[in-house]
Amino acid sequence: MGFSHGYGAATDENEAVSNIRKAYEMGYTLFDTAEVYGTAEDPHCNEVLVGKALDDVRDKVQIVTKFGIYFDYTSDAVNKPLITDARPEEIRKSVEGFLKRLGTDHIDLYFQHRMDANTVPEIVAEVMAELIREGKILHWGISEANEEYLRRADKVCKVTAVENRYSMMARQYEALFPVLEELNVGLVAFSPMANGLLTGKYNKDSRFDPKLDYRSNMPQFRQEAYEQNENLLRALDDIAKEHQATSAQISLAWMMCRKPWIVPIPGTRKVSRMEENAESANIKLSADEVAKLDDMLDTIGMSEVFGGSKIR
């Protein structure tokens, strides 16, 4: 997403394609995009970047994309409200658009980007079942899913994964973990480092583009929030030093050590960060260390964290 949307001005196309390709070359195999990860002028440009970067290695990677929302561009907010639309005809239009933009004949994992109050989950799941039979998608999932929606959808067409916000600072979906285990559904964790705050790379003097960067309006990046999060970031840094690692790596390692079916998807535009994030897979935290981190997160003070765009 960050190459095209939400984190400042879009990256130059050639640079973005090159860096996505470098991620593949260093071992990344799962690439997450969406039909709305773009600009007002070119809403679908992110899918095109992914397609260009991975065209000749398509059979060696899994590509994830999402349908069912568009932005309310009449809003003046940097973080524009979302309008949901999961009608069957819109789902099919989205699928065909994706296949064309990516230059492929199938989607590995297709997520409903947000639940649509106007379309019941059974209808969405029926369309997913049809698309699987047609070979246009291999698996499907739901982003920001709750238990009721997930159970109803899963009864009609097996759900492979949910893609929910999850990090050390956003743990509300842990309440869903027993349901995921019961239904054998995986968790693709987005914003696993609280939109970058848990990297420890930002401070009260950090500034973000007020027109193009969502972080300019996120509560965890307000000046007063840095004081509220000081103890958390210091503790994370101390643990990182014990493992000769970075705070970012510890936050990702903690997540992967909690459950084997959690797949974090950290976003970055920098190759150096891709390399850093990849190394987190080599950090082995003991069960005791994970438990101590959990206890710390239950008790340590922290600021409010961004909870997502408003839905209209």
Side-chain angles (χ1 to χ4, degrees), residues 25-214:
E25 291 169 354
M26 68 178 68
Y28 286 91
T29 59
L30 180 72
F31 295 83
D32 180 279
T33 181
E35 67 174 347
V36 294
Y37 290 168
T39 63
E41 297 75 25
D42 189 357
H44 309 307
C45 63
N46 199 251
E47 291 180 326
V48 174
L49 296 178
V50 172
K52 288 183 177 180
L54 304 174
D55 178 61
D56 62 331
V57 292
R58 177 65 185 91
D59 61 339
K60 298 178 181 178
V61 298
Q62 292 78 49
I63 295 179
V64 178
T65 193
K66 298 179 277 294
F67 70 89
I69 62 170
Y70 57 95
F71 292 108
D72 179 4
Y73 281 111
T74 65
S75 170
D76 293 330
V78 60
N79 182 3
K80 300 191 184 306
L82 304 175
I83 299 171
T84 59
D85 190 347
R87 292 173 296 167
E89 60 268 30
E90 287 298 312
I91 296 174
R92 285 195 166 274
K93 184 170 75 172
S94 295
V95 168
E96 297 304 328
F98 174 84
L99 296 177
K100 181 178 180 180
R101 287 187 292 272
L102 195 74
T104 187
D105 62 355
H106 72 279
I107 300 164
D108 294 287
L109 179 54
Y110 199 37
F111 277 110
Q112 181 178 2
H113 210 152
R114 292 292 183 272
M115 296 178 292
D116 180 4
N118 298 313
T119 306
V120 298
E122 289 82 0
I123 294 296
V124 176
E126 286 174 5
V127 180
M128 295 298 107
E130 292 170 0
L131 293 173
I132 290 171
R133 287 194 294 270
E134 294 166 15
K136 292 181 178 179
I137 71 173
L138 302 185
H139 306 276
W140 84 288
I142 308 157
S143 185
E144 295 282 61
N146 62 33
E147 179 178 352
E148 179 189 2
Y149 197 98
L150 173 59
R151 286 188 182 279
R152 289 173 61 182
D154 190 69
K155 286 181 179 179
V156 177
C157 181
K158 178 60 188 168
V159 175
T160 293
V162 299
E163 183 172 313
N164 287 3
R165 184 183 306 277
Y166 185 52
S167 72
M168 286 181 163
M169 296 183 72
R171 299 171 64 197
Q172 64 271 26
Y173 284 114
E174 288 182 359
L176 193 63
F177 283 9
V179 180
L180 299 181
E181 291 186 322
E182 174 193 339
L183 299 179
N184 194 29
V185 173
L187 172 65
V188 177
F190 74 88
S191 298
M193 290 181 282
N195 307 99
L197 183 75
L198 294 174
T199 64
K201 304 299 182 183
Y202 301 100
N203 58 48
K204 63 182 180 179
D205 297 319
S206 300
R207 296 293 180 269
F208 306 100
D209 187 329
K211 293 183 178 180
L212 296 173
D213 196 319
Y214 280 16

Side-chain angles (χ1 to χ4, degrees), residues 291-302:
K292 287 180 179 178
L293 279 168
D294 289 346
D295 290 342
M296 178 194 75
L297 295 173
D298 285 338
T299 57
I300 201 165
M302 63 180 73

Side-chain angles (χ1 to χ4, degrees), residues 7 11 13 27 51 67 71 77 91 109 141 158 160 175 183 209 219 221 238 244 250 263 265 283:
Y7 287 82
T11 304
E13 179 176 311
F67 70 89
F71 292 108
I91 296 174
L109 179 54
K158 178 60 188 168
T160 293
L183 299 179
D209 187 329
F221 291 104
D238 289 343
Q244 297 182 313
I250 294 299
V263 178
I265 49 170
I283 297 172

Side-chain angles (χ1 to χ4, degrees), residues 258-292:
R258 293 204 81 238
K259 299 290 182 180
W261 38 262
I262 295 177
V263 178
I265 49 170
T268 184
R269 294 188 279 187
K270 298 178 179 179
V271 172
S272 62
R273 294 286 175 247
M274 295 176 189
E275 293 170 340
E276 178 184 350
N277 293 341
E279 283 299 315
S280 64
N282 297 321
I283 297 172
K284 305 301 180 185
L285 300 176
S286 68
D288 185 57
E289 286 177 309
V290 173
K292 287 180 179 178

